[in-house]
Amino acid sequence: MRVAVSGSTGLVGSEVVTVLSGGGHEVVRLVRRVPAPGEMAVRWDPEAGVIDAGGLEGCDAVVHLAGENVGTGRWTAARKAAIRDSRVNGTRFLCDAFAGLSRPPKTLVFASAVGYYGDRGEERLIEESPPGAGFLAEVCREWEAASAPAARKGIRVVALRIGMVLSPKGGALARMLPLFRAGLGGVVGGGRQYVSWVALDDLPHIILHALQRDDLRGPVNAVAPHPITNREFTETLGTALSRPTPLPVPAFALRLAVGSEMADALLLASARVIPRRLEETGYRFRFAVLSAALRHLLGKGGTP
């Protein structure tokens, strides 16, 4: 396949490029700069309204991963607008560009998030579950709706609702590791909130699975099949590092540190998400259980 990839230098995007290239697929990067001569890249800048749409002609698929990081910086009004615009406007801009192509891609796989479901306690959430409330849920609904121009063009659209991506190279786990290695890790809030996670080793292969399975379309939960509570996550990470986890982080302290809205949405909300569509279409997880995933990611054993 010839696959265009946005967000190709990010934590997930760089792994996607490696997996696709290693599988013999041709990768075309979507970049914000002017590509170098001979580079397999297409310039796009949704904020400036610039895209070399002709460079997408003949691509079999597009993997769209670009978007502002929701976990860095306080959620000021300006920060929230940047988060929303980078996802909603960027996706709509890209999908609008498909409408003018004589040979549009057959498939669009793009990143959404389990934030779509909001704070749902112990409820088991599948792709047909209704959306939740709050800023992240609103962004995810608008984000997924922004792909409508591609669907109207006859493109098969897959919205991956991605959970916490586990990698020591970046993201939430990388931020946790220094504290946990120092023996300062602990349960967050009450610890009963569910964490839906996926190992970085799995996510590029989930994307490849979505590209290759014509029977996948619409929302797909891109999470491991065994979500666990924050208390279980904390204990499992402490065990993997052979460190105690004695210091709970109370909810009020989190709200003071990062703001109530961000703390409640990212750290205290509970989403028990099940990857029903992946399981129905035969995806085999490399890491379905957290303990094995952490041992592998931390170089302490575990086989993909």
Side-chain angles (χ1 to χ4, degrees), residues 13-183:
S14 58
E15 295 293 325
V16 169
V17 169
T18 297
V19 168
L20 289 174
S21 300
H25 304 288
E26 186 178 17
V27 175
V28 179
R29 298 174 184 262
L30 288 169
V31 298
R32 303 294 181 110
R33 54 181 170 75
V34 176
E39 183 182 6
M40 292 292 293
V42 170
R43 187 183 178 209
W44 86 312
D45 187 342
E47 294 178 4
V50 173
I51 186 168
D52 178 15
L56 299 175
E57 288 278 7
C59 283
D60 298 293
V62 174
V63 175
H64 176 41
L65 303 171
E68 288 283 330
N69 190 326
V70 300
T72 57
R74 277 179 170 260
W75 282 2
T76 62
R79 181 68 183 153
K80 287 168 67 176
I83 290 169
R84 185 189 303 270
D85 291 348
S86 69
R87 287 161 171 74
V88 177
N89 295 348
T91 300
R92 185 180 296 116
F93 180 70
L94 183 61
C95 291
D96 283 341
F98 296 153
L101 299 179
S102 58
R103 293 179 297 153
K106 299 179 180 65
T107 304
L108 168 66
V109 175
F110 73 100
S112 182
V114 297
Y116 175 91
Y117 301 107
D119 184 4
R120 304 289 278 274
E122 296 186 1
E123 180 183 356
R124 289 169 60 89
L125 300 165
I126 59 174
E127 287 84 353
E128 289 76 20
S129 298
F135 171 67
L136 287 183
E138 292 170 4
V139 169
C140 288
R141 287 199 303 274
E142 293 180 34
W143 193 1
E144 294 182 15
S147 67
R152 287 195 295 267
K153 186 70 174 178
I155 296 168
R156 179 174 64 88
V157 176
V158 179
L160 293 179
R161 293 175 181 164
I162 300 172
M164 180 193 292
V165 180
L166 297 185
S167 170
K169 301 176 186 177
L173 180 61
R175 292 193 292 271
M176 294 178 198
L177 285 176
L179 284 173
F180 275 75
R181 283 177 169 143

Side-chain angles (χ1 to χ4, degrees), residues 40 96 98 148 158 166 170 185 195 200 217 224 231 255 267 272:
M40 292 292 293
D96 283 341
F98 296 153
V158 179
L166 297 185
V195 178
L200 183 59
R217 64 177 64 241
R231 181 173 299 279
R255 293 181 178 120
L267 303 171
R272 189 181 184 183

